[in-house]
Coordinates of all heavy atoms in Angstrom, one line a residue:
K9 N 56.0 52.9 137.2 CA 55.6 53.8 138.2 C 56.6 54.9 138.6 O 56.6 55.5 139.7 CB 55.2 53.0 139.5 CG 54.3 51.9 139.3 CD 52.9 52.3 139.1 CE 51.9 51.2 139.1 NZ 52.1 50.1 138.2
I10 N 57.5 55.3 137.6 CA 58.5 56.3 137.8 C 58.1 57.6 137.1 O 57.8 57.5 135.9 CB 59.9 55.8 137.3 CG1 60.3 54.5 138.0 CG2 60.9 56.9 137.6 CD1 61.6 54.0 137.4
S11 N 58.0 58.7 137.8 CA 57.6 59.9 137.2 C 58.9 60.8 137.0 O 60.0 60.5 137.6 CB 56.7 60.7 138.1 OG 57.3 61.2 139.3
K12 N 58.8 61.8 136.1 CA 60.0 62.6 135.9 C 60.4 63.4 137.2 O 61.6 63.6 137.4 CB 59.7 63.6 134.8 CG 61.0 64.2 134.1 CD 60.7 64.8 132.8 CE 62.1 65.2 132.2 NZ 61.9 65.8 130.9
A13 N 59.4 63.7 138.0 CA 59.7 64.3 139.3 C 60.6 63.5 140.2 O 61.4 64.0 141.0 CB 58.4 64.7 140.0
D14 N 60.4 62.1 140.1 CA 61.2 61.2 140.9 C 62.7 61.2 140.5 O 63.6 60.8 141.2 CB 60.7 59.8 140.7 CG 59.3 59.6 141.3 OD1 58.9 60.3 142.2 OD2 58.5 58.8 140.7
L15 N 63.0 61.8 139.3 CA 64.3 61.7 138.7 C 65.1 63.0 138.7 O 66.2 63.1 138.2 CB 64.2 61.1 137.3 CG 63.5 59.8 137.1 CD1 63.2 59.5 135.6 CD2 64.2 58.7 137.8
A16 N 64.4 64.0 139.2 CA 65.0 65.4 139.1 C 66.4 65.4 139.7 O 66.7 65.0 140.8 CB 64.1 66.4 139.8
G17 N 67.3 65.9 138.8 CA 68.7 66.1 139.3 C 69.6 64.9 139.4 O 70.8 65.0 139.7
Q18 N 69.0 63.7 139.0 CA 69.8 62.5 139.2 C 70.5 62.1 137.9 O 70.1 62.4 136.8 CB 68.9 61.3 139.6 CG 68.2 61.5 140.9 CD 67.4 60.3 141.4 OE1 68.0 59.2 141.6 NE2 66.1 60.5 141.7
D19 N 71.6 61.3 138.0 CA 72.3 60.8 136.9 C 72.9 59.4 137.3 O 73.2 59.2 138.4 CB 73.4 61.7 136.4 CG 73.9 61.4 135.0 OD1 73.3 60.5 134.3 OD2 74.8 62.1 134.5
F20 N 73.2 58.6 136.3 CA 73.9 57.3 136.5 C 75.3 57.6 137.0 O 75.9 58.7 136.6 CB 73.9 56.4 135.3 CG 72.6 56.0 134.8 CD1 72.4 55.6 133.5 CD2 71.5 55.8 135.6 CE1 71.2 55.1 133.0 CE2 70.3 55.4 135.2 CZ 70.1 55.0 133.9
D21 N 75.9 56.7 137.7 CA 77.3 56.8 138.0 C 78.0 56.1 136.8 O 78.2 54.9 136.8 CB 77.6 56.0 139.3 CG 79.1 56.1 139.7 OD1 79.9 56.3 138.8 OD2 79.4 55.8 140.9
H22 N 78.3 56.9 135.8 CA 78.8 56.3 134.5 C 80.1 55.6 134.7 O 80.3 54.6 134.0 CB 78.9 57.5 133.5 CG 77.6 58.1 133.2 ND1 76.6 57.4 132.5 CD2 77.1 59.3 133.4 CE1 75.5 58.2 132.3 NE2 75.8 59.4 132.9
E23 N 80.9 56.1 135.6 CA 82.2 55.4 135.8 C 82.0 54.0 136.4 O 82.6 53.1 136.0 CB 83.1 56.3 136.7 CG 84.5 55.7 137.0 CD 85.3 56.6 137.8 OE1 84.9 57.7 138.1 OE2 86.4 56.1 138.3
K24 N 81.1 53.9 137.3 CA 80.7 52.6 137.9 C 80.2 51.7 136.9 O 80.6 50.5 136.8 CB 79.8 52.8 139.1 CG 79.2 51.6 139.7 CD 80.3 50.9 140.6 CE 79.7 49.8 141.4 NZ 80.7 49.2 142.3
V25 N 79.2 52.2 136.1 CA 78.6 51.3 135.1 C 79.7 50.9 134.1 O 79.7 49.7 133.7 CB 77.5 52.0 134.4 CG1 77.0 51.2 133.2 CG2 76.4 52.4 135.3
A26 N 80.6 51.8 133.7 CA 81.6 51.4 132.7 C 82.6 50.3 133.3 O 83.0 49.4 132.6 CB 82.4 52.7 132.4
V27 N 82.9 50.4 134.6 CA 83.7 49.4 135.2 C 83.0 48.0 135.2 O 83.7 47.0 134.9 CB 84.1 49.8 136.6 CG1 84.7 48.7 137.4 CG2 85.0 51.0 136.6
L28 N 81.8 48.0 135.5 CA 81.0 46.7 135.5 C 81.0 46.2 134.1 O 81.2 44.9 133.9 CB 79.6 47.0 136.0 CG 79.4 47.2 137.5 CD1 78.0 47.7 137.8 CD2 79.7 45.9 138.3
L29 N 80.7 47.0 133.1 CA 80.7 46.5 131.7 C 82.1 46.0 131.3 O 82.2 44.9 130.7 CB 80.2 47.6 130.8 CG 78.8 48.1 131.0 CD1 78.6 49.3 130.1 CD2 77.8 47.0 130.6
S30 N 83.1 46.7 131.7 CA 84.5 46.3 131.3 C 84.9 45.0 132.0 O 85.6 44.1 131.4 CB 85.4 47.4 131.8 OG 86.8 47.0 131.5
N31 N 84.4 44.7 133.2 CA 84.8 43.5 134.0 C 84.0 42.3 133.5 O 84.4 41.2 133.8 CB 84.6 43.8 135.5 CG 85.7 44.7 136.0 OD1 86.8 44.8 135.5 ND2 85.4 45.3 137.2
A32 N 82.9 42.5 132.9 CA 82.0 41.4 132.5 C 82.6 40.6 131.3 O 82.9 41.2 130.3 CB 80.6 41.9 132.2
D33 N 82.6 39.3 131.4 CA 82.9 38.4 130.3 C 81.6 38.2 129.5 O 81.7 38.1 128.2 CB 83.4 37.1 130.8 CG 84.7 37.2 131.5 OD1 85.6 37.9 131.1 OD2 84.8 36.6 132.6
V34 N 80.5 38.2 130.1 CA 79.2 38.0 129.5 C 78.2 38.8 130.1 O 78.1 39.0 131.3 CB 78.7 36.5 129.6 CG1 77.4 36.3 128.9 CG2 79.8 35.6 128.9
I35 N 77.3 39.5 129.3 CA 76.2 40.3 129.8 C 74.9 39.5 129.6 O 74.7 39.0 128.4 CB 76.1 41.6 129.1 CG1 77.4 42.4 129.4 CG2 74.9 42.4 129.7 CD1 77.4 43.8 128.6
V36 N 74.0 39.3 130.6 CA 72.8 38.6 130.4 C 71.6 39.6 130.7 O 71.6 40.3 131.7 CB 72.7 37.4 131.4 CG1 71.3 36.7 131.3 CG2 73.8 36.4 131.1
A37 N 70.7 39.6 129.8 CA 69.5 40.5 130.0 C 68.3 39.7 129.5 O 68.4 38.8 128.6 CB 69.6 41.8 129.2
H38 N 67.1 40.0 130.1 CA 65.9 39.3 129.7 C 65.3 39.8 128.3 O 64.5 39.2 127.8 CB 64.8 39.4 130.7 CG 63.8 38.4 130.6 ND1 64.0 37.0 130.6 CD2 62.4 38.5 130.4 CE1 62.9 36.3 130.4 NE2 61.9 37.2 130.2

């Protein structure tokens, strides 16, 4: 239920995501 209009001008906080990935010993996804 996400439209492209809902996302206009947005971006991930790549630095935050990179820190989470770096700190993780294990990543779990479904």
Side-chain angles (χ1 to χ4, degrees):
K9 307 288 192 297
I10 302 172
S11 70
K12 199 162 184 181
D14 296 328
L15 307 169
Q18 297 188 57
D19 197 5
F20 295 156
D21 183 340
H22 297 292
E23 183 177 349
K24 175 73 170 181
V25 174
V27 169
L28 285 170
L29 294 174
S30 176
N31 287 338
D33 298 312
V34 177
I35 301 174
V36 178
H38 197 60

